[in-house]
Amino acid sequence: MNSDSATRITPGNALRPEDIAAAGTRADPDVAAYALRLGDDALILAQRLGWWISRAPELEEDVALGNIALDLMGHARSFLTYAGSADGRSEDDLAYWRKETEFRSAHLVEQPNGDFARTIARQLAVSYYSFELYSALQRSADPTLAAIAAKAVKEVDYHRDHSAQWVLRLGLGTDESRRRMIRALDLTWPYVGELFDDDELVVSLDGSAVLPSSLKPAFDSGIAAVLRDAELELPAVQPAPGGGRQGRHSEHLGYLLAEMQVLAREHPGASW
Amino acid sequence: MSAGTVTGQEQFDALIAADARVEPRDWMPEGYRKTLVRQISQHAHSEIIGMQPEANWITRAPSLKRKAILMAKVQDEAGHGLYLYSAAETLGTPRDRMTADLIAGKARYSSIFNYPTLTWADMGAIGWLVDGAAICNQVPLCRASYGPYGRAMVRVCKEESFHQRQGFEILLELARGTEAQRTMAQDAVNRWYAPSLMMFGPPDDDSPNSRQSMEWNIKRFSNDELRSRFVGMIVEQVKVLGLTLPDPDIRFNEETGRWEHGELDWNEFREVLAGRGPCNSQRLARRREAHEDGAWVRDAAAAYAARLAARGNAAAGAVA
Amino acid sequence: MTGGSTTGDDGSRPVAAAPAVPSAPAAAWPLWEVFVRSSRGLSHVHAGSLHAPDADMAVRNARDLYTRRNEGVSLWVVPASAIIASDPDSKGRFFESPQGKDYRHATYYTASEGVKHL
């Protein structure tokens, strides 16, 4: 049933959160804790990017950022559905009814959108990191994680290209765009280090999870190539301590969650 | 028949009489061109401004599924705006001129988008009523005499049907939900009903441009015909929702074979059209802000393209 | 900021003040025509147009705009200015010559009607 026709829907290639819920697989609690991190990163970034739709620098870019946000929403919903399967919670239970300290997102995805350069700098870091992560996670011993990663990796590959194209144009465009791009990298890079921190959980999940530190060399060389083409340099900034994986977040997350959760929390038990 | 002896006007008239399509490079009367540019660009502007009332709820959508659907829908609207701008551009008006007119407040867009989205149920009411009315208007436009417009509308209509259904399902879910959700749904229907009927434009006896547009096969049905058809559809659909329309005067007129509705407040319509609606200045300010904030990005990309082109020319020169 | 969302606006407006004298706006992004192949075995078909600063971005914008619903397996983008079209005023000269040459069509040959495999 392998058809090249784009008009035919091929469920095998389109793993949906509903399919994961329907499969009824219960995640091991540690695997669930790991999936929660991946889901939260994708969710918070999608929430950030959703803001751009109707505000992008050009209409074509509204559509482009919209596609990226929708891909990320898909990843978030799949990972959160799987994470929730460990104790019978739904993706919405996790997204709308957890407190700030229960979120496991990294500080990088919580960073404000800022101007377009800052959003692109954040996209550059996250998409290059996610590509390496999902590439490795496709080989996870956990079949559900591997399946989600196999779909996601093709999408973040496109996100990588999108951000690289824009870094090139902003870096080499005008004096103003170059100044903004440099500043955006300075503001973004302190939060990159946290993505590659190992901890007990990922170490204990050897074979199922991907050790973040193992992704760093490929990430570094990918980023170096993009920056070289754009005649930019890696910013010499001090890393921020992070703590997102333990529930210690940046000041920004509380506001983001307040907005994201407000309506759902006004109506406990309602369905939408 | 030798082409030399036939005037452009005669060729154009023959195309219209045969209900054939006019294509971009054909001769066309100036009035036809102007009418089309005005109508298509207004339509495109409506899609673009129309993103805002719904984008207002993307960050607060009450479930992740609804958030994804809403993002896809608002994104589609950007797409529809682009299809339409591209149809208008075939008439010789560049998009940046249309954009400039919009943000300068010189161009019109559908007044419906000057109403605020106050609750989540408005996402349902907009999908069901506003997109529903838009579809009634747009399906006949797929056969508009101007080829690029008709083709753009075919694409738009294909995508639009999901918009109406998702809106209806939002309302259905609310109507079957808690008391608070049900109240929210009814309130939204109450607020969006009359403005959605007014989307079809003023009554036929007060619609100066309609007749010419119908003679040119741009418009296929009159404002009142379409409005009545729409009322007939929603009067049935609202029963499935278990909600009511805020209009006790809806009735089917056996003699005319048309659905009739209560008096609409055309004074309000004219007020909103004249820029005195609840959100006119907010919507324009937001579009202007996005455009102005994006200027440095567009300039950067253009400068980079110029650099590439210069390098390409230099390389070509080196080879030669 | 006219919207109510805090998501994009929690203390991070543009990092640098705009230059006192704004640089002259660059020319608008050029227009590109987009052709989509919906399935292997079919031709690329004109889908519409879009604006993009250069070819690399044009093909990406085309992907984002014209294939959101699985409409394509391949894309072409062409600068609108590169398309050479026939002149509609030469329609007679260009396109009317085949009229009256019915013998180019199989239906012209009626005597052989009913003969199998012909």
Side-chain angles (χ1 to χ4, degrees), chain A residues 18 43 46-47 50-51 53-60 62-64 66-67 69-70 73 76-77 80 91-92 95-96 115-117 166 168-170 172-174 176-177 180 231 259-264 267-268 270-272, chain B residues 48 51-52 55 57-69 71-72 74-75 78-79 81-82 85 95 120 169-170 173-174 178 180-181 184 286-287 290-291 293-301 303-304 307-308 311:
Chain A
E18 289 87 350
L43 174 62
Q47 175 78 359
W51 179 89
I53 306 174
S54 74
R55 293 176 170 93
E58 185 51 282
L59 298 174
E60 280 83 355
D62 275 302
V63 181
N67 278 341
L70 282 169
M73 277 300 297
R77 295 182 59 202
L80 292 181
E91 58 181 69
D92 288 336
Y96 292 94
D115 64 0
F116 186 69
W166 273 116
L168 203 55
R169 280 158 186 77
L170 300 184
L172 299 176
T174 61
E176 182 183 6
S177 70
R180 285 182 186 256
E231 296 171 19
E259 183 173 344
M260 186 174 86
Q261 297 177 331
V262 62
L263 174 59
H267 301 269
S271 94
W272 302 94
Chain B
I48 299 308
M51 295 168 75
Q52 292 181 34
W57 284 90
I58 288 178
T59 52
R60 291 176 292 168
S63 78
L64 297 186
K65 184 180 86 176
R66 292 287 171 207
K67 189 190 290 285
I69 292 171
M71 276 186 191
V74 179
Q75 186 211 31
L82 286 170
Y85 282 129
R95 196 212 294 177
W120 171 252
E169 289 189 9
I170 286 175
E173 194 77 45
L174 294 175
T178 64
Q181 285 180 302
M184 192 195 286
R286 160 96 163 263
R287 183 87 298 266
H291 189 73
D293 285 355
W296 69 269
V297 178
R298 297 191 302 275
D299 287 350
Y304 176 77
R307 188 179 161 132
L308 277 187
R311 200 191 298 161

Side-chain angles (χ1 to χ4, degrees), chain B residues 20-302:
Chain B
R21 298 292 175 265
V22 177
E23 293 295 344
R25 290 162 57 89
D26 289 333
W27 184 92
M28 58 188 88
E30 229 9 70
Y32 178 81
R33 185 184 298 273
K34 271 192 189 148
T35 299
L36 280 169
V37 170
R38 183 174 50 85
Q39 181 172 335
I40 303 173
S41 62
Q42 275 182 19
H43 195 159
H45 296 331
S46 300
E47 296 282 357
I48 299 308
I49 296 289
M51 295 168 75
Q52 292 181 34
E54 291 174 286
N56 185 36
W57 284 90
I58 288 178
T59 52
R60 291 176 292 168
S63 78
L64 297 186
K65 184 180 86 176
R66 292 287 171 207
K67 189 190 290 285
I69 292 171
L70 189 60
M71 276 186 191
K73 181 177 185 238
V74 179
Q75 186 211 31
D76 267 354
E77 280 151 13
H80 296 174
L82 286 170
Y83 303 155
L84 287 159
Y85 282 129
S86 110
E89 285 194 276
T90 63
L91 292 156
T93 307
R95 196 212 294 177
D96 53 346
R97 197 184 309 156
M98 295 185 262
T99 305
D101 283 351
L102 175 65
I103 62 177
K106 288 193 278 189
R108 278 189 178 162
Y109 54 86
S110 183
S111 279
I112 193 90
F113 301 117
N114 289 320
Y115 291 90
T117 51
L118 302 175
T119 72
W120 171 252
D122 291 12
M123 300 304 98
I126 288 185
W128 176 45
L129 294 173
V130 176
D131 293 326
I135 291 171
C136 272
N137 250 329
Q138 288 170 356
V139 167
L141 289 174
C142 296
R143 295 188 294 127
S145 58
Y146 187 59
Y149 191 25
R151 291 192 287 274
M153 290 317 302
V154 168
R155 193 175 277 275
V156 169
C157 285
K158 222 193 271 175
E159 300 184 355
E160 198 80 41
S161 54
F162 121 67
H163 294 184
Q164 192 186 14
R165 281 194 181 196
Q166 66 84 35
F168 189 83
E169 289 189 9
I170 286 175
L171 287 179
L172 195 61
E173 194 77 45
L174 294 175
R176 291 174 177 172
T178 64
E179 193 51 41
Q181 285 180 302
R182 199 180 161 72
T183 307
M184 192 195 286
Q186 184 62 59
D187 165 67
V189 171
N190 292 351
R191 280 183 290 112
W192 291 95
Y193 168 76
S196 75
L197 292 199
M198 290 195 263
M199 281 176 72
F200 294 94
D204 291 348
D205 50 18
D206 189 26
S207 180
N209 300 324
S210 279
R211 234 195 59 200
Q212 178 65 74
S213 280
M214 288 180 74
E215 279 169 11
W216 276 332
N217 292 345
I218 298 173
K219 212 172 148 79
R220 299 281 179 168
F221 301 98
S222 80
N223 295 352
D224 286 335
E225 258 178 296
L226 289 169
R227 184 163 23 239
S228 141
R229 198 183 288 177
F230 178 63
V231 170
M233 290 179 201
I234 59 174
V235 82
E236 289 304 317
Q237 291 165 351
V238 78
K239 293 178 192 161
V240 181
L241 292 174
L243 299 172
T244 55
L245 295 174
D247 184 349
D249 298 328
I250 295 181
R251 66 178 202 102
F252 186 72
N253 184 328
E254 297 284 352
E255 275 166 47
T256 59
R258 281 203 193 176
W259 283 91
E260 292 174 356
H261 52 82
E263 202 67 43
L264 295 170
D265 184 356
W266 290 106
N267 199 36
E268 175 185 306
F269 179 78
R270 279 184 292 270
E271 281 295 296
V272 180
L273 204 61
R276 292 185 286 272
C279 298
N280 294 59
S281 73
Q282 177 189 332
R283 300 282 187 248
L284 265 193
R286 160 96 163 263
R287 183 87 298 266
R288 192 180 303 122
E289 188 180 66
H291 189 73
E292 287 170 0
D293 285 355
W296 69 269
V297 178
R298 297 191 302 275
D299 287 350

Side-chain angles (χ1 to χ4, degrees), chain C:
Chain C
M1 165 91 194
T2 51
S5 168
T6 61
T7 306
D9 201 29
D10 34 10
S12 66
R13 293 272 43 209
V15 287
V21 183
S23 52
W29 290 354
L31 189 67
W32 304 75
E33 299 295 336
V34 178
F35 300 78
V36 180
R37 185 203 293 284
S38 62
S39 181
R40 283 187 175 277
L42 299 177
S43 303
H44 288 79
V45 174
H46 184 239
S49 64
L50 50 76
H51 288 263
D54 55 57
D56 286 340
M57 291 304 277
V59 75
R60 286 163 176 79
N61 289 350
R63 176 262 193 194
D64 284 324
L65 184 58
Y66 287 102
T67 68
R68 299 198 302 289
R69 286 177 172 78
N70 261 357
E71 293 95 334
V73 296
S74 166
L75 283 168
W76 289 348
V77 291
V78 180
S81 60
I83 290 181
I84 315 297
S86 59
D87 178 0
D89 291 339
S90 329
K91 210 172 83 195
R93 244 184 316 148
F94 257 65
F95 300 118
E96 282 177 23
S97 149
Q99 288 169 22
K101 297 189 178 72
D102 305 2
Y103 49 80
R104 283 182 178 273
H105 299 277
T107 48
Y108 178 77
Y109 303 91
T110 50
S112 45
E113 201 124 299
V115 181
K116 296 210 164 172
H117 308 299
L118 192 68

